Structures are given as C-alpha cells and as structure tokens.
Amino acid sequence: MLVINGYLIWSFLQHRSKIRRVEDENKALGEQLAVKEEEVKTLMADNSMRLAFKEEWLTKLKNEILTTADANELRQSLNSLIAQLRLQIDTENKLAGLQGKIDINNISFDTKLQELYPDLTKGEREVCALLRLNLSIKEIMTIRNVSSDSVKSMRRRIRKKMQIPSEVELEKFIQELT
C-alpha cells in the first residue's frame, strides 16, 4: 500500500511539475505575442502615415497640374514639389538613423528605467531617452511625429509616475539616473 501510495504521490508531483512548465511556457509565449502585436501595430501606424503622406503628395500634384496652364509654370511647380519631397525623405532618413543610434545607446538605460519605474510605458521610456539626450520638445515632437501638446502631457505623466517634484528639472533628473 505504501509503495502504491508513494508511486501515486510521485506521479502527482511529476504531473504538477509538467503543468507548471507548460503554464510558464504559455506565459512566455503570451508575452512574446504581446510584443509582436505591438510591433504589428507600430508597423500599421507607420504604414498608415506613409499612405496619408503619399495621398497628400498625389493631391498636390493633381492640383498643380490642373491649376497650371503654362508649361514653364508647371515645370517650376513640379521642381518645387520634388525639392520638398526630397527634403522630407532626407529628414525621415536622418530620423531613422537617429532612432537606431538612440536604441543602441539606451538599452541599459531602458532596462534601468523599467526596474526603477515599472509603471512607465514604452512610449514614456522612449521620451525619457530623448530627454536624456537634451532634445527640445520640438525635436521630440518631430522624432515621435506627435503634437507639442502630446509631448508636454507625456512629460507631465512621466513626472507624476516618477514622483519628481515640480522644482526639479525633468531632464536633469533623468540624466542623473545613469
């Protein structure tokens, strides 16, 4: 009877151990799925912005063609639009390069922020990284492609979540974290 009882207890513990491993694997897969979903949402948002940008330029081209009767005027208008488009593309390329450099340099900073302030969202941690680089609200606004009000409200939320007193400068506080 003891042997059978011992075998049943051992079997029970083995099954419970397997169940815990499966639950842990499911939890890890769930976290990976959440990260992938976030990446897909980001890609979709980026794609939507690019589509809107293309539609805007198509509309400008149509308007220029329809409103310009003279071939020289049309050529000048098209050259102006091409110059604006080149400037936009150059700016996007610079921002993409900057984002890559920021990501590389701030891996340890992001980890430290997550440990010290787990309530901060990914976007708020990104803004903290940009503030750490002493970027202005306008620069952050351009990099994140949001309004200045959005950046200001995010700064307020960061200050609140980090419990930084109003007399302490946010940028200075963030720079001293490293």
Side-chain angles (χ1 to χ4, degrees), residues 25-64:
E25 288 173 5
N26 284 343
K27 184 178 177 183
L29 287 174
E31 291 171 358
Q32 288 176 351
L33 182 62
V35 168
K36 294 294 181 188
E37 284 177 356
E38 189 63 35
E39 288 175 4
V40 167
K41 287 179 184 177
T42 302
L43 287 173
M44 287 174 57
D46 186 48
N47 207 16
S48 297
M49 287 175 22
R50 289 183 191 281
L51 181 62
F53 178 75
K54 288 176 183 177
E55 288 174 352
E56 176 186 338
W57 278 96
L58 182 61
T59 303
K60 282 183 180 181
L61 281 172
K62 285 179 181 177
N63 288 339
E64 286 298 324

mmCIF file of all heavy atoms in Angstrom, residues 25-64:
data_model
loop_
_atom_site.group_PDB
_atom_site.id
_atom_site.type_symbol
_atom_site.label_atom_id
_atom_site.label_comp_id
_atom_site.label_asym_id
_atom_site.label_seq_id
_atom_site.Cartn_x
_atom_site.Cartn_y
_atom_site.Cartn_z
ATOM 1 N N GLU A 25 5.620 28.232 -20.033
ATOM 2 C CA GLU A 25 5.830 28.373 -21.475
ATOM 3 C C GLU A 25 4.706 29.181 -22.103
ATOM 4 O O GLU A 25 4.939 30.032 -22.960
ATOM 5 C CB GLU A 25 5.932 27.002 -22.131
ATOM 6 C CG GLU A 25 7.209 26.258 -21.824
ATOM 7 C CD GLU A 25 7.204 24.830 -22.363
ATOM 8 O OE1 GLU A 25 6.239 24.441 -23.064
ATOM 9 O OE2 GLU A 25 8.185 24.113 -22.081
ATOM 10 N N ASN A 26 3.475 28.930 -21.677
ATOM 11 C CA ASN A 26 2.333 29.689 -22.191
ATOM 12 C C ASN A 26 2.451 31.165 -21.835
ATOM 13 O O ASN A 26 2.133 32.028 -22.647
ATOM 14 C CB ASN A 26 1.017 29.127 -21.649
ATOM 15 C CG ASN A 26 0.605 27.849 -22.339
ATOM 16 O OD1 ASN A 26 1.097 27.535 -23.412
ATOM 17 N ND2 ASN A 26 -0.285 27.098 -21.710
ATOM 18 N N LYS A 27 2.896 31.440 -20.632
ATOM 19 C CA LYS A 27 3.068 32.829 -20.204
ATOM 20 C C LYS A 27 4.131 33.504 -21.060
ATOM 21 O O LYS A 27 3.935 34.639 -21.521
ATOM 22 C CB LYS A 27 3.461 32.875 -18.725
ATOM 23 C CG LYS A 27 3.556 34.272 -18.170
ATOM 24 C CD LYS A 27 3.893 34.244 -16.689
ATOM 25 C CE LYS A 27 4.063 35.644 -16.151
ATOM 26 N NZ LYS A 27 4.446 35.646 -14.745
ATOM 27 N N ALA A 28 5.255 32.814 -21.294
ATOM 28 C CA ALA A 28 6.326 33.372 -22.126
ATOM 29 C C ALA A 28 5.838 33.595 -23.550
ATOM 30 O O ALA A 28 6.122 34.638 -24.161
ATOM 31 C CB ALA A 28 7.534 32.442 -22.111
ATOM 32 N N LEU A 29 5.083 32.645 -24.079
ATOM 33 C CA LEU A 29 4.541 32.803 -25.427
ATOM 34 C C LEU A 29 3.549 33.960 -25.486
ATOM 35 O O LEU A 29 3.501 34.696 -26.468
ATOM 36 C CB LEU A 29 3.873 31.504 -25.885
ATOM 37 C CG LEU A 29 4.813 30.354 -26.230
ATOM 38 C CD1 LEU A 29 4.012 29.087 -26.522
ATOM 39 C CD2 LEU A 29 5.695 30.704 -27.409
ATOM 40 N N GLY A 30 2.765 34.120 -24.428
ATOM 41 C CA GLY A 30 1.826 35.243 -24.361
ATOM 42 C C GLY A 30 2.548 36.577 -24.374
ATOM 43 O O GLY A 30 2.123 37.520 -25.044
ATOM 44 N N GLU A 31 3.656 36.647 -23.633
ATOM 45 C CA GLU A 31 4.445 37.882 -23.622
ATOM 46 C C GLU A 31 5.056 38.147 -24.984
ATOM 47 O O GLU A 31 5.065 39.283 -25.457
ATOM 48 C CB GLU A 31 5.525 37.795 -22.543
ATOM 49 C CG GLU A 31 4.978 37.833 -21.133
ATOM 50 C CD GLU A 31 6.028 37.522 -20.074
ATOM 51 O OE1 GLU A 31 7.194 37.235 -20.433
ATOM 52 O OE2 GLU A 31 5.685 37.568 -18.887
ATOM 53 N N GLN A 32 5.576 37.106 -25.633
ATOM 54 C CA GLN A 32 6.136 37.265 -26.967
ATOM 55 C C GLN A 32 5.057 37.704 -27.955
ATOM 56 O O GLN A 32 5.300 38.550 -28.812
ATOM 57 C CB GLN A 32 6.768 35.958 -27.442
ATOM 58 C CG GLN A 32 8.050 35.597 -26.742
ATOM 59 C CD GLN A 32 8.575 34.237 -27.189
ATOM 60 O OE1 GLN A 32 7.910 33.488 -27.891
ATOM 61 N NE2 GLN A 32 9.785 33.919 -26.749
ATOM 62 N N LEU A 33 3.874 37.142 -27.812
ATOM 63 C CA LEU A 33 2.766 37.512 -28.680
ATOM 64 C C LEU A 33 2.401 38.982 -28.479
ATOM 65 O O LEU A 33 2.143 39.701 -29.450
ATOM 66 C CB LEU A 33 1.555 36.612 -28.402
ATOM 67 C CG LEU A 33 0.323 36.858 -29.265
ATOM 68 C CD1 LEU A 33 0.639 36.597 -30.732
ATOM 69 C CD2 LEU A 33 -0.824 35.975 -28.812
ATOM 70 N N ALA A 34 2.396 39.433 -27.236
ATOM 71 C CA ALA A 34 2.083 40.836 -26.957
ATOM 72 C C ALA A 34 3.115 41.758 -27.605
ATOM 73 O O ALA A 34 2.758 42.795 -28.174
ATOM 74 C CB ALA A 34 2.029 41.068 -25.448
ATOM 75 N N VAL A 35 4.388 41.371 -27.533
ATOM 76 C CA VAL A 35 5.446 42.180 -28.157
ATOM 77 C C VAL A 35 5.244 42.218 -29.669
ATOM 78 O O VAL A 35 5.353 43.270 -30.295
ATOM 79 C CB VAL A 35 6.844 41.613 -27.793
ATOM 80 C CG1 VAL A 35 7.926 42.221 -28.643
ATOM 81 C CG2 VAL A 35 7.132 41.831 -26.319
ATOM 82 N N LYS A 36 4.953 41.082 -30.257
ATOM 83 C CA LYS A 36 4.730 41.015 -31.709
ATOM 84 C C LYS A 36 3.512 41.835 -32.107
ATOM 85 O O LYS A 36 3.517 42.521 -33.134
ATOM 86 C CB LYS A 36 4.561 39.559 -32.177
ATOM 87 C CG LYS A 36 5.800 38.725 -32.024
ATOM 88 C CD LYS A 36 6.912 39.194 -32.919
ATOM 89 C CE LYS A 36 8.132 38.326 -32.762
ATOM 90 N NZ LYS A 36 9.288 38.842 -33.449
ATOM 91 N N GLU A 37 2.450 41.779 -31.300
ATOM 92 C CA GLU A 37 1.259 42.583 -31.587
ATOM 93 C C GLU A 37 1.605 44.063 -31.567
ATOM 94 O O GLU A 37 1.143 44.827 -32.417
ATOM 95 C CB GLU A 37 0.158 42.284 -30.568
ATOM 96 C CG GLU A 37 -0.551 40.984 -30.784
ATOM 97 C CD GLU A 37 -1.593 40.692 -29.706
ATOM 98 O OE1 GLU A 37 -1.709 41.477 -28.738
ATOM 99 O OE2 GLU A 37 -2.285 39.676 -29.835
ATOM 100 N N GLU A 38 2.422 44.473 -30.614
ATOM 101 C CA GLU A 38 2.834 45.872 -30.524
ATOM 102 C C GLU A 38 3.649 46.268 -31.756
ATOM 103 O O GLU A 38 3.468 47.358 -32.304
ATOM 104 C CB GLU A 38 3.655 46.103 -29.244
ATOM 105 C CG GLU A 38 3.934 47.543 -28.950
ATOM 106 C CD GLU A 38 2.700 48.370 -28.694
ATOM 107 O OE1 GLU A 38 1.736 47.854 -28.104
ATOM 108 O OE2 GLU A 38 2.684 49.546 -29.103
ATOM 109 N N GLU A 39 4.528 45.374 -32.199
ATOM 110 C CA GLU A 39 5.314 45.648 -33.399
ATOM 111 C C GLU A 39 4.418 45.775 -34.624
ATOM 112 O O GLU A 39 4.616 46.662 -35.459
ATOM 113 C CB GLU A 39 6.346 44.534 -33.624
ATOM 114 C CG GLU A 39 7.488 44.549 -32.636
ATOM 115 C CD GLU A 39 8.433 43.361 -32.810
ATOM 116 O OE1 GLU A 39 8.245 42.551 -33.753
ATOM 117 O OE2 GLU A 39 9.363 43.249 -31.997
ATOM 118 N N VAL A 40 3.420 44.906 -34.726
ATOM 119 C CA VAL A 40 2.492 44.967 -35.856
ATOM 120 C C VAL A 40 1.704 46.276 -35.812
ATOM 121 O O VAL A 40 1.515 46.926 -36.851
ATOM 122 C CB VAL A 40 1.548 43.741 -35.853
ATOM 123 C CG1 VAL A 40 0.378 43.930 -36.808
ATOM 124 C CG2 VAL A 40 2.319 42.488 -36.198
ATOM 125 N N LYS A 41 1.256 46.681 -34.633
ATOM 126 C CA LYS A 41 0.523 47.949 -34.508
ATOM 127 C C LYS A 41 1.399 49.121 -34.932
ATOM 128 O O LYS A 41 0.937 50.036 -35.617
ATOM 129 C CB LYS A 41 0.040 48.146 -33.065
ATOM 130 C CG LYS A 41 -1.111 47.263 -32.687
ATOM 131 C CD LYS A 41 -1.525 47.478 -31.242
ATOM 132 C CE LYS A 41 -2.610 46.524 -30.814
ATOM 133 N NZ LYS A 41 -2.969 46.688 -29.397
ATOM 134 N N THR A 42 2.671 49.083 -34.535
ATOM 135 C CA THR A 42 3.596 50.150 -34.916
ATOM 136 C C THR A 42 3.783 50.173 -36.421
ATOM 137 O O THR A 42 3.763 51.243 -37.043
ATOM 138 C CB THR A 42 4.955 49.945 -34.212
ATOM 139 O OG1 THR A 42 4.752 49.912 -32.804
ATOM 140 C CG2 THR A 42 5.930 51.052 -34.554
ATOM 141 N N LEU A 43 3.958 49.010 -37.018
ATOM 142 C CA LEU A 43 4.121 48.940 -38.468
ATOM 143 C C LEU A 43 2.863 49.430 -39.189
ATOM 144 O O LEU A 43 2.951 50.118 -40.200
ATOM 145 C CB LEU A 43 4.450 47.515 -38.897
ATOM 146 C CG LEU A 43 5.850 47.019 -38.570
ATOM 147 C CD1 LEU A 43 5.979 45.536 -38.895
ATOM 148 C CD2 LEU A 43 6.894 47.814 -39.329
ATOM 149 N N MET A 44 1.699 49.074 -38.646
ATOM 150 C CA MET A 44 0.451 49.519 -39.260
ATOM 151 C C MET A 44 0.316 51.036 -39.170
ATOM 152 O O MET A 44 -0.092 51.695 -40.135
ATOM 153 C CB MET A 44 -0.744 48.831 -38.593
ATOM 154 C CG MET A 44 -0.874 47.366 -38.961
ATOM 155 S SD MET A 44 -2.175 46.485 -38.056
ATOM 156 C CE MET A 44 -3.619 47.447 -38.429
ATOM 157 N N ALA A 45 0.678 51.596 -38.025
ATOM 158 C CA ALA A 45 0.607 53.051 -37.865
ATOM 159 C C ALA A 45 1.578 53.730 -38.819
ATOM 160 O O ALA A 45 1.230 54.730 -39.464
ATOM 161 C CB ALA A 45 0.915 53.430 -36.418
ATOM 162 N N ASP A 46 2.780 53.187 -38.929
ATOM 163 C CA ASP A 46 3.781 53.736 -39.832
ATOM 164 C C ASP A 46 3.299 53.656 -41.278
ATOM 165 O O ASP A 46 3.424 54.602 -42.048
ATOM 166 C CB ASP A 46 5.106 52.984 -39.660
ATOM 167 C CG ASP A 46 6.222 53.609 -40.457
ATOM 168 O OD1 ASP A 46 6.378 54.846 -40.383
ATOM 169 O OD2 ASP A 46 6.947 52.870 -41.159
ATOM 170 N N ASN A 47 2.707 52.531 -41.626
ATOM 171 C CA ASN A 47 2.184 52.342 -42.966
ATOM 172 C C ASN A 47 1.049 53.330 -43.253
ATOM 173 O O ASN A 47 0.969 53.889 -44.351
ATOM 174 C CB ASN A 47 1.705 50.898 -43.127
ATOM 175 C CG ASN A 47 1.761 50.426 -44.547
ATOM 176 O OD1 ASN A 47 2.407 51.023 -45.382
ATOM 177 N ND2 ASN A 47 1.062 49.345 -44.825
ATOM 178 N N SER A 48 0.196 53.544 -42.272
ATOM 179 C CA SER A 48 -0.915 54.497 -42.434
ATOM 180 C C SER A 48 -0.388 55.906 -42.655
ATOM 181 O O SER A 48 -0.908 56.649 -43.494
ATOM 182 C CB SER A 48 -1.821 54.475 -41.213
ATOM 183 O OG SER A 48 -2.415 53.217 -41.074
ATOM 184 N N MET A 49 0.662 56.265 -41.899
ATOM 185 C CA MET A 49 1.244 57.602 -42.052
ATOM 186 C C MET A 49 1.859 57.753 -43.446
ATOM 187 O O MET A 49 1.701 58.789 -44.089
ATOM 188 C CB MET A 49 2.301 57.854 -40.984
ATOM 189 C CG MET A 49 1.722 58.077 -39.613
ATOM 190 S SD MET A 49 2.909 58.249 -38.273
ATOM 191 C CE MET A 49 4.410 58.720 -39.015
ATOM 192 N N ARG A 50 2.539 56.728 -43.900
ATOM 193 C CA ARG A 50 3.144 56.784 -45.238
ATOM 194 C C ARG A 50 2.062 56.888 -46.320
ATOM 195 O O ARG A 50 2.213 57.630 -47.291
ATOM 196 C CB ARG A 50 4.023 55.564 -45.478
ATOM 197 C CG ARG A 50 5.279 55.581 -44.663
ATOM 198 C CD ARG A 50 6.158 54.367 -44.990
ATOM 199 N NE ARG A 50 7.229 54.216 -44.060
ATOM 200 C CZ ARG A 50 8.357 54.924 -44.080
ATOM 201 N NH1 ARG A 50 8.526 55.847 -44.980
ATOM 202 N NH2 ARG A 50 9.291 54.714 -43.182
ATOM 203 N N LEU A 51 0.972 56.157 -46.150
ATOM 204 C CA LEU A 51 -0.119 56.214 -47.106
ATOM 205 C C LEU A 51 -0.730 57.616 -47.139
ATOM 206 O O LEU A 51 -0.977 58.172 -48.214
ATOM 207 C CB LEU A 51 -1.179 55.175 -46.761
ATOM 208 C CG LEU A 51 -2.384 55.103 -47.696
ATOM 209 C CD1 LEU A 51 -1.943 54.731 -49.109
ATOM 210 C CD2 LEU A 51 -3.383 54.092 -47.180
ATOM 211 N N ALA A 52 -0.952 58.198 -45.975
ATOM 212 C CA ALA A 52 -1.505 59.557 -45.903
ATOM 213 C C ALA A 52 -0.554 60.549 -46.573
ATOM 214 O O ALA A 52 -0.987 61.465 -47.292
ATOM 215 C CB ALA A 52 -1.752 59.954 -44.450
ATOM 216 N N PHE A 53 0.744 60.379 -46.350
ATOM 217 C CA PHE A 53 1.747 61.253 -46.954
ATOM 218 C C PHE A 53 1.689 61.146 -48.478
ATOM 219 O O PHE A 53 1.704 62.156 -49.190
ATOM 220 C CB PHE A 53 3.137 60.869 -46.431
ATOM 221 C CG PHE A 53 4.252 61.659 -47.023
ATOM 222 C CD1 PHE A 53 4.471 62.961 -46.638
ATOM 223 C CD2 PHE A 53 5.094 61.090 -47.968
ATOM 224 C CE1 PHE A 53 5.508 63.698 -47.183
ATOM 225 C CE2 PHE A 53 6.124 61.813 -48.521
ATOM 226 C CZ PHE A 53 6.340 63.127 -48.131
ATOM 227 N N LYS A 54 1.603 59.925 -49.000
ATOM 228 C CA LYS A 54 1.538 59.721 -50.449
ATOM 229 C C LYS A 54 0.267 60.334 -51.030
ATOM 230 O O LYS A 54 0.293 60.954 -52.092
ATOM 231 C CB LYS A 54 1.605 58.231 -50.776
ATOM 232 C CG LYS A 54 2.977 57.628 -50.562
ATOM 233 C CD LYS A 54 2.954 56.136 -50.813
ATOM 234 C CE LYS A 54 4.307 55.514 -50.518
ATOM 235 N NZ LYS A 54 4.290 54.049 -50.699
ATOM 236 N N GLU A 55 -0.861 60.159 -50.323
ATOM 237 C CA GLU A 55 -2.115 60.737 -50.799
ATOM 238 C C GLU A 55 -2.038 62.254 -50.831
ATOM 239 O O GLU A 55 -2.535 62.891 -51.764
ATOM 240 C CB GLU A 55 -3.269 60.276 -49.911
ATOM 241 C CG GLU A 55 -3.642 58.823 -50.107
ATOM 242 C CD GLU A 55 -4.689 58.338 -49.122
ATOM 243 O OE1 GLU A 55 -5.029 59.077 -48.177
ATOM 244 O OE2 GLU A 55 -5.170 57.207 -49.293
ATOM 245 N N GLU A 56 -1.398 62.844 -49.831
ATOM 246 C CA GLU A 56 -1.234 64.295 -49.782
ATOM 247 C C GLU A 56 -0.416 64.783 -50.981
ATOM 248 O O GLU A 56 -0.782 65.760 -51.640
ATOM 249 C CB GLU A 56 -0.541 64.688 -48.471
ATOM 250 C CG GLU A 56 -0.241 66.161 -48.345
ATOM 251 C CD GLU A 56 0.578 66.466 -47.103
ATOM 252 O OE1 GLU A 56 0.578 65.664 -46.154
ATOM 253 O OE2 GLU A 56 1.220 67.533 -47.093
ATOM 254 N N TRP A 57 0.668 64.091 -51.277
ATOM 255 C CA TRP A 57 1.511 64.491 -52.402
ATOM 256 C C TRP A 57 0.801 64.274 -53.741
ATOM 257 O O TRP A 57 0.953 65.075 -54.669
ATOM 258 C CB TRP A 57 2.850 63.762 -52.359
ATOM 259 C CG TRP A 57 3.769 64.472 -51.415
ATOM 260 C CD1 TRP A 57 3.987 64.170 -50.113
ATOM 261 C CD2 TRP A 57 4.520 65.644 -51.686
ATOM 262 N NE1 TRP A 57 4.847 65.069 -49.545
ATOM 263 C CE2 TRP A 57 5.194 65.992 -50.500
ATOM 264 C CE3 TRP A 57 4.701 66.437 -52.801
ATOM 265 C CZ2 TRP A 57 6.023 67.097 -50.411
ATOM 266 C CZ3 TRP A 57 5.531 67.531 -52.710
ATOM 267 C CH2 TRP A 57 6.179 67.867 -51.532
ATOM 268 N N LEU A 58 0.026 63.227 -53.849
ATOM 269 C CA LEU A 58 -0.735 62.986 -55.065
ATOM 270 C C LEU A 58 -1.739 64.118 -55.286
ATOM 271 O O LEU A 58 -1.888 64.617 -56.399
ATOM 272 C CB LEU A 58 -1.441 61.635 -54.989
ATOM 273 C CG LEU A 58 -2.239 61.222 -56.215
ATOM 274 C CD1 LEU A 58 -1.329 61.101 -57.427
ATOM 275 C CD2 LEU A 58 -2.960 59.908 -55.956
ATOM 276 N N THR A 59 -2.393 64.530 -54.225
ATOM 277 C CA THR A 59 -3.340 65.636 -54.313
ATOM 278 C C THR A 59 -2.637 66.922 -54.734
ATOM 279 O O THR A 59 -3.140 67.667 -55.590
ATOM 280 C CB THR A 59 -4.052 65.832 -52.959
ATOM 281 O OG1 THR A 59 -4.680 64.609 -52.594
ATOM 282 C CG2 THR A 59 -5.081 66.948 -53.023
ATOM 283 N N LYS A 60 -1.460 67.187 -54.156
ATOM 284 C CA LYS A 60 -0.706 68.383 -54.544
ATOM 285 C C LYS A 60 -0.335 68.342 -56.019
ATOM 286 O O LYS A 60 -0.453 69.348 -56.728
ATOM 287 C CB LYS A 60 0.570 68.511 -53.700
ATOM 288 C CG LYS A 60 0.359 69.027 -52.327
ATOM 289 C CD LYS A 60 1.699 69.190 -51.606
ATOM 290 C CE LYS A 60 1.527 69.712 -50.211
ATOM 291 N NZ LYS A 60 2.823 69.888 -49.531
ATOM 292 N N LEU A 61 0.119 67.191 -56.488
ATOM 293 C CA LEU A 61 0.494 67.063 -57.899
ATOM 294 C C LEU A 61 -0.706 67.298 -58.813
ATOM 295 O O LEU A 61 -0.615 68.023 -59.805
ATOM 296 C CB LEU A 61 1.083 65.677 -58.170
ATOM 297 C CG LEU A 61 2.523 65.461 -57.766
ATOM 298 C CD1 LEU A 61 2.905 63.995 -57.924
ATOM 299 C CD2 LEU A 61 3.441 66.337 -58.593
ATOM 300 N N LYS A 62 -1.850 66.690 -58.460
ATOM 301 C CA LYS A 62 -3.056 66.871 -59.268
ATOM 302 C C LYS A 62 -3.455 68.342 -59.313
ATOM 303 O O LYS A 62 -3.795 68.872 -60.373
ATOM 304 C CB LYS A 62 -4.200 66.034 -58.716
ATOM 305 C CG LYS A 62 -4.082 64.566 -59.000
ATOM 306 C CD LYS A 62 -5.262 63.811 -58.396
ATOM 307 C CE LYS A 62 -5.167 62.329 -58.636
ATOM 308 N NZ LYS A 62 -6.282 61.593 -57.989
ATOM 309 N N ASN A 63 -3.419 69.011 -58.156
ATOM 310 C CA ASN A 63 -3.790 70.421 -58.100
ATOM 311 C C ASN A 63 -2.849 71.270 -58.935
ATOM 312 O O ASN A 63 -3.288 72.199 -59.622
ATOM 313 C CB ASN A 63 -3.813 70.920 -56.660
ATOM 314 C CG ASN A 63 -4.978 70.372 -55.878
ATOM 315 O OD1 ASN A 63 -5.975 69.934 -56.459
ATOM 316 N ND2 ASN A 63 -4.867 70.363 -54.559
ATOM 317 N N GLU A 64 -1.549 70.989 -58.875
ATOM 318 C CA GLU A 64 -0.583 71.752 -59.661
ATOM 319 C C GLU A 64 -0.820 71.569 -61.150
ATOM 320 O O GLU A 64 -0.763 72.524 -61.927
ATOM 321 C CB GLU A 64 0.848 71.338 -59.304
ATOM 322 C CG GLU A 64 1.323 71.840 -57.966
ATOM 323 C CD GLU A 64 1.378 73.347 -57.865
ATOM 324 O OE1 GLU A 64 1.721 74.022 -58.863
ATOM 325 O OE2 GLU A 64 1.058 73.871 -56.786
#
